[in-house]
């Protein structure tokens, strides 16, 4: 009995330490309506399940104590086989709880659908997200600017994230604001979030994607409308690094245009360092050894925060089309114009016939 108590206490202590006692339990410290709603659903489900778990644990301990070998006063019924009351309790209560959980799941999956726009008096801010090789790229199509490993948006303003990948499948996640959504090459997913107040929130990748996976983290800044407008103007004028300084006194890197050529430079290496060393060691010819030695290793630190004062038009769409078939990747502007002209001519012809 003593060993059992010590084991339970040890596991409980370990669980507290793993959840970050004294730290920031981000999933339960939400700063937006989506995150708050999802946390509320999670806690409601836990409470409902505890209605079965706690009584089961209590009864298991009580039965073991009551019917122990040394208790000679316990009822002994070797022919007992059935109790309708017990059957109703052990089956009825779980069925009711499962029914409630099913309804909550259906309601919550529609209420907090990541594709569902958030209700607000303010117009949403669109941000295009590209999961690059071990870094995150954020494009603001309406402001014509871009950032790397940092995203800023006004408080109390819905943010419409359009997400894709220029590498392997990944997962975009700002825990304090809402759930994660996958980023996949050749596809576009959506996520709508909103921050209730100014603050800095941790953004991560929730899907393992290789040796540089641990570097895929960023900061999401919720700022006032005035601060956001000031930041946008500073980045557009090439002075974004003069208005933002982090807690370590480090400023962002300010660059010019984010285009296809610049995007190609954001690729992070070919292999991890130990993989490159292994290729060099196994090389059988001078050419193989030279090729291995020229490989660029994956980074061991996150990419520095970088601002771009302008963005090549439709850069986000070109990343998606790059992984699609020739039909999707081709330029159909001419055929689209031809189809529009043909449709217009048909309308004129129809109108003339009616006259």
């Amino acid at each position: 009995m003593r060993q059992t108590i010590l084991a339970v206490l040890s596991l409980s202590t370990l669980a507290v330490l793993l959840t970050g006692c004294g730290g920031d339990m981000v999933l339960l410290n939400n700063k937006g309506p989506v995150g708050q709603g999802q946390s509320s659903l999670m806690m409601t489900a836990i409470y409902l399940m505890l209605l079965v778990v706690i009584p089961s644990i209590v009864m298991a301990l009580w039965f073991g104590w009551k019917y122990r070998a040394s208790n000679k006063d316990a009822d002994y019924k070797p022919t007992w086989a059935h109790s309708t009351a017990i059957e109703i309790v052990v089956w009825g209560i779980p069925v009711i709880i499962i029914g409630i959980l099913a309804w909550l799941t259906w309601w919550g999956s529609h209420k907090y659908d990541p594709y569902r726009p958030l209700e607000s008096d303010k117009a949403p801010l669109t941000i295009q997200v590209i999961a690059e090789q071990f870094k995150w790229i954020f494009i603001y199509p309406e402001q014509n600017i871009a950032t790397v490993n940092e995203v800023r948006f006004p408080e109390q303003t819905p943010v419409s994230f359009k997400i894709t990948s220029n590498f392997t499948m990944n997962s975009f996640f700002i825990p304090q604001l809402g759930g994660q959504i996958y980023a996949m090459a050749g596809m576009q997913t959506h996520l709508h979030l909103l921050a209730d107040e100014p603050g800095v929130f941790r953004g991560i990748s929730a899907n393992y994607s290789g040796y540089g996976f641990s570097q895929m983290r960023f900061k999401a800044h919720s700022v006032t409308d005035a601060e956001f407008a000031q930041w946008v103007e500073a980045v557009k004028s090439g002075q974004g690094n003069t208005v933002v300084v982090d807690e370590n006194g480090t400023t962002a890197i300010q660059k010019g245009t984010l285009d296809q050529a610049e995007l190609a430079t954001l690729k992070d290496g070919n292999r991890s360092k130990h993989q490159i060393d292994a290729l060099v060691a196994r090389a059988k010819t001078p050419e193989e050894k030279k090729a291995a030695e020229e490989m660029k290793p994956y980074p061991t630190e996150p990419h520095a925060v970088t601002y771009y004062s302008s963005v090549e038009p439709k850069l986000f769409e070109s990343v998606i089309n790059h992984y699609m078939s020739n039909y999707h990747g081709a330029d159909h502007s001419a055929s689209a114009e031809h189809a529009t002209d043909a449709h217009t001519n048909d309308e004129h012809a129809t109108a003339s016939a009616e006259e």
Side-chain angles (χ1 to χ4, degrees), residues 211-212 269-278 296-298:
Y211 285 99
N270 308 97
R271 300 283 193 279
S272 66
K273 187 177 184 304
H274 78 268
Q275 285 180 321
I276 295 176
D277 293 340
K296 181 182 176 183
Y298 291 147

Side-chain angles (χ1 to χ4, degrees), residues 130-133 164-168 184-185 263 267 319 322-323:
I130 301 175
E132 230 340 315
Q133 192 177 14
T164 190
S165 174
N166 196 26
F167 186 47
T168 186
M184 294 170 282
L263 185 66
K267 290 290 184 183
V319 171
H322 174 72
Y323 295 92

Side-chain angles (χ1 to χ4, degrees), residues 169-181:
M169 186 174 76
N170 224 296
S171 179
F172 180 76
F173 192 19
I174 306 177
Q176 283 186 273
L177 298 184
Q180 62 86 30
I181 194 75

Side-chain angles (χ1 to χ4, degrees), residues 332-346:
H332 299 288
S333 57
S335 58
E337 292 176 359
H338 176 73
T340 302
D341 293 340
H343 179 68
T344 303
N345 293 334
D346 290 341

